[in-house]
Coordinates of all heavy atoms in Angstrom, one line a residue:
A1 N 191.3 -97.9 74.0 CA 190.4 -98.9 73.4 C 190.6 -98.7 71.9 O 190.4 -99.8 71.1 CB 188.9 -98.7 73.8
G2 N 190.8 -97.6 71.4 CA 190.9 -97.3 70.0 C 192.2 -98.0 69.3 O 192.3 -98.2 68.2
D3 N 193.1 -98.3 70.3 CA 194.3 -98.8 69.8 C 194.2 -100.5 69.8 O 195.1 -101.2 69.4 CB 195.5 -98.5 70.7 CG 195.9 -97.1 70.6 OD1 195.6 -96.5 69.5 OD2 196.4 -96.4 71.5
A4 N 193.0 -101.0 70.2 CA 192.9 -102.4 70.4 C 192.7 -102.9 68.9 O 192.4 -102.2 67.9 CB 191.7 -102.8 71.1
P5 N 193.0 -104.2 68.7 CA 192.8 -104.8 67.3 C 191.3 -104.5 66.8 O 190.4 -104.5 67.6 CB 193.0 -106.4 67.5 CG 194.0 -106.4 68.7 CD 193.5 -105.2 69.6
V6 N 191.1 -104.4 65.5 CA 189.8 -104.1 65.0 C 188.7 -105.0 65.5 O 187.6 -104.6 65.8 CB 189.9 -104.0 63.5 CG1 188.5 -103.8 62.9 CG2 190.9 -103.0 63.0
A7 N 189.0 -106.3 65.6 CA 188.1 -107.3 65.9 C 187.5 -107.1 67.3 O 186.4 -107.5 67.6 CB 188.6 -108.7 65.8
M8 N 188.2 -106.4 68.3 CA 187.7 -106.3 69.6 C 187.7 -104.8 70.0 O 187.3 -104.4 71.2 CB 188.7 -107.0 70.6 CG 190.2 -106.5 70.6 SD 191.3 -107.4 71.6 CE 190.6 -107.2 73.1
R9 N 187.8 -103.9 69.0 CA 187.7 -102.5 69.3 C 186.3 -102.1 69.8 O 186.2 -101.3 70.8 CB 188.1 -101.7 68.0 CG 188.3 -100.2 68.4 CD 188.9 -99.6 67.1 NE 190.2 -100.1 66.7 CZ 190.7 -100.0 65.6 NH1 190.2 -99.4 64.6 NH2 191.9 -100.6 65.4
E10 N 185.3 -102.5 69.2 CA 183.9 -102.1 69.6 C 183.6 -102.6 71.0 O 183.1 -101.9 72.0 CB 182.9 -102.6 68.7 CG 181.5 -102.1 69.0 CD 180.5 -102.5 67.9 OE1 180.8 -103.0 66.8 OE2 179.3 -102.2 68.2
R11 N 184.1 -103.9 71.3 CA 183.9 -104.4 72.7 C 184.7 -103.6 73.7 O 184.2 -103.3 74.8 CB 184.3 -105.9 72.7 CG 184.5 -106.6 74.1 CD 183.1 -106.5 74.8 NE 182.0 -107.1 74.0 CZ 180.8 -107.1 74.5 NH1 180.5 -106.5 75.6 NH2 179.8 -107.7 73.8
A12 N 186.0 -103.2 73.3 CA 186.8 -102.4 74.3 C 186.1 -101.1 74.6 O 186.2 -100.7 75.8 CB 188.2 -102.2 73.6
R13 N 185.5 -100.4 73.6 CA 185.0 -99.2 73.9 C 183.8 -99.3 74.7 O 183.4 -98.5 75.6 CB 184.5 -98.5 72.5 CG 185.7 -98.0 71.7 CD 185.4 -97.5 70.3 NE 186.4 -96.8 69.8 CZ 186.5 -96.4 68.4 NH1 185.5 -96.7 67.7 NH2 187.5 -95.7 68.0
S14 N 182.9 -100.4 74.5 CA 181.8 -100.7 75.4 C 182.3 -101.0 76.8 O 181.6 -100.4 77.8 CB 181.0 -102.0 74.9 OG 180.0 -102.4 75.7
V15 N 183.2 -101.7 77.0 CA 183.8 -102.0 78.3 C 184.3 -100.7 79.1 O 184.0 -100.5 80.2 CB 184.9 -103.0 78.3 CG1 185.7 -103.1 79.6 CG2 184.5 -104.4 77.9
V16 N 185.0 -99.9 78.2 CA 185.5 -98.5 78.8 C 184.3 -97.8 79.3 O 184.3 -97.2 80.5 CB 186.2 -97.8 77.8 CG1 186.4 -96.3 78.2 CG2 187.6 -98.4 77.6
M17 N 183.3 -97.6 78.6 CA 182.2 -96.7 78.9 C 181.3 -97.4 80.1 O 180.9 -96.5 80.9 CB 181.3 -96.4 77.6 CG 181.9 -95.6 76.7 SD 182.5 -94.0 77.3 CE 183.5 -93.4 76.0
S18 N 181.2 -98.6 80.1 CA 180.6 -99.2 81.2 C 181.3 -99.0 82.5 O 180.8 -98.7 83.5 CB 180.3 -100.8 80.9 OG 179.4 -100.9 79.9
Y19 N 182.6 -99.3 82.5 CA 183.5 -99.2 83.6 C 183.5 -97.7 84.1 O 183.3 -97.4 85.3 CB 185.0 -99.5 83.3 CG 185.9 -99.0 84.4 CD1 185.9 -99.7 85.6 CD2 186.6 -97.8 84.1 CE1 186.8 -99.2 86.6 CE2 187.5 -97.4 85.2 CZ 187.5 -97.9 86.4 OH 188.3 -97.6 87.4
E20 N 183.6 -96.7 83.2 CA 183.6 -95.3 83.6 C 182.3 -94.9 84.3 O 182.4 -94.1 85.3 CB 184.0 -94.4 82.4 CG 185.4 -94.5 82.0 CD 186.4 -93.8 83.0 OE1 186.0 -92.8 83.5 OE2 187.4 -94.3 83.0
S21 N 181.2 -95.4 83.7 CA 179.9 -95.1 84.3 C 179.8 -95.7 85.8 O 179.3 -95.0 86.6 CB 178.7 -95.5 83.5 OG 178.8 -94.9 82.2
M22 N 180.3 -96.8 85.9 CA 180.3 -97.5 87.2 C 181.1 -96.7 88.2 O 180.7 -96.5 89.4 CB 180.8 -98.9 87.0 CG 180.8 -99.6 88.3 SD 181.8 -101.2 88.4 CE 183.4 -100.4 88.0
A23 N 182.3 -96.3 87.8 CA 183.2 -95.5 88.6 C 182.5 -94.1 89.0 O 182.6 -93.7 90.1 CB 184.6 -95.2 87.9
D24 N 181.9 -93.5 87.9 CA 181.2 -92.3 88.2 C 180.1 -92.5 89.3 O 180.0 -91.7 90.3 CB 180.5 -91.7 87.0 CG 181.4 -90.8 86.2 OD1 182.4 -90.5 86.7 OD2 181.0 -90.5 85.2
E25 N 179.2 -93.5 89.2 CA 178.2 -93.8 90.2 C 178.9 -94.0 91.5 O 178.3 -93.4 92.5 CB 177.4 -94.9 89.7 CG 176.4 -94.5 88.6 CD 175.4 -93.5 89.1 OE1 175.1 -93.5 90.3 OE2 175.1 -92.6 88.2
A26 N 179.9 -94.8 91.6 CA 180.5 -95.1 92.8 C 181.1 -93.9 93.5 O 181.0 -93.6 94.8 CB 181.6 -96.1 92.7
S27 N 181.7 -93.0 92.7 CA 182.2 -91.8 93.3 C 181.1 -90.8 93.7 O 181.2 -90.1 94.8 CB 183.0 -91.0 92.1 OG 182.2 -90.5 91.2
F28 N 180.0 -90.7 93.1 CA 178.9 -89.8 93.6 C 178.1 -90.4 94.7 O 177.4 -89.8 95.3 CB 178.0 -89.5 92.4 CG 178.5 -88.4 91.5 CD1 179.1 -88.7 90.2 CD2 178.5 -87.1 91.9 CE1 179.5 -87.7 89.4 CE2 179.1 -86.1 91.2 CZ 179.5 -86.4 89.9
V29 N 178.3 -91.8 94.9 CA 177.9 -92.4 96.2 C 178.7 -92.0 97.3 O 178.4 -91.7 98.4 CB 177.6 -93.8 96.1 CG1 177.3 -94.5 97.4 CG2 176.5 -94.2 95.0
L30 N 180.0 -92.3 97.1 CA 181.1 -92.2 98.1 C 181.2 -90.6 98.5 O 181.5 -90.3 99.7 CB 182.3 -92.8 97.7 CG 183.5 -92.7 98.7 CD1 183.0 -93.4 100.0 CD2 184.7 -93.4 98.1
G31 N 181.1 -89.7 97.5 CA 181.3 -88.3 97.8 C 180.5 -87.7 98.9 O 181.0 -87.2 99.9
P32 N 179.1 -87.8 98.8 CA 178.2 -87.3 99.8 C 178.5 -88.1 101.2 O 178.3 -87.4 102.2 CB 176.8 -87.7 99.3 CG 177.1 -87.7 97.8 CD 178.4 -88.3 97.5
V33 N 178.8 -89.4 101.1 CA 179.0 -90.0 102.4 C 180.2 -89.4 103.0 O 180.3 -89.2 104.3 CB 179.3 -91.6 102.1 CG1 179.9 -92.2 103.4 CG2 178.0 -92.3 101.6
I34 N 181.3 -89.1 102.3 CA 182.5 -88.6 102.9 C 182.1 -87.2 103.5 O 182.6 -86.7 104.5 CB 183.6 -88.4 101.9 CG1 184.1 -89.8 101.5 CG2 184.8 -87.5 102.3 CD1 185.1 -89.8 100.4
V35 N 181.3 -86.4 102.7 CA 181.0 -85.0 103.1 C 180.2 -85.2 104.5 O 180.5 -84.6 105.5 CB 180.1 -84.4 102.1 CG1 179.4 -83.1 102.7 CG2 180.8 -84.1 100.9
G36 N 179.2 -86.2 104.7 CA 178.5 -86.3 105.8 C 179.3 -86.7 107.1 O 179.2 -86.2 108.1
L37 N 180.3 -87.7 106.8 CA 181.2 -88.2 107.8 C 182.0 -87.1 108.3 O 182.3 -86.9 109.5 CB 181.9 -89.5 107.4 CG 181.1 -90.7 107.0 CD1 182.0 -91.8 106.5 CD2 180.4 -91.3 108.4
A38 N 182.7 -86.4 107.4 CA 183.7 -85.4 107.8 C 183.0 -84.3 108.5 O 183.5 -83.7 109.4 CB 184.4 -84.9 106.6
S39 N 181.7 -83.9 108.1 CA 181.0 -82.8 108.8 C 180.7 -83.2 110.1 O 180.8 -82.4 111.1 CB 179.8 -82.4 107.9 OG 180.1 -81.9 106.6
A40 N 180.2 -84.5 110.3 CA 179.8 -84.9 111.6 C 180.9 -85.1 112.5 O 180.8 -84.8 113.8 CB 178.9 -86.2 111.5

C-alpha cells in the first residue's frame, strides 16, 4: 500500500487493515470449528 500513488495511499492502507482484520476474524471462527470437527 505504501507503494501506491500518494493520492490513493491512505485509502490503500485503510483497505489493507480492513481486509486483514476480516481475514483474522474469519480464521478465528474457522479455527475452532476445525478443531471441533477433527476432534469429533
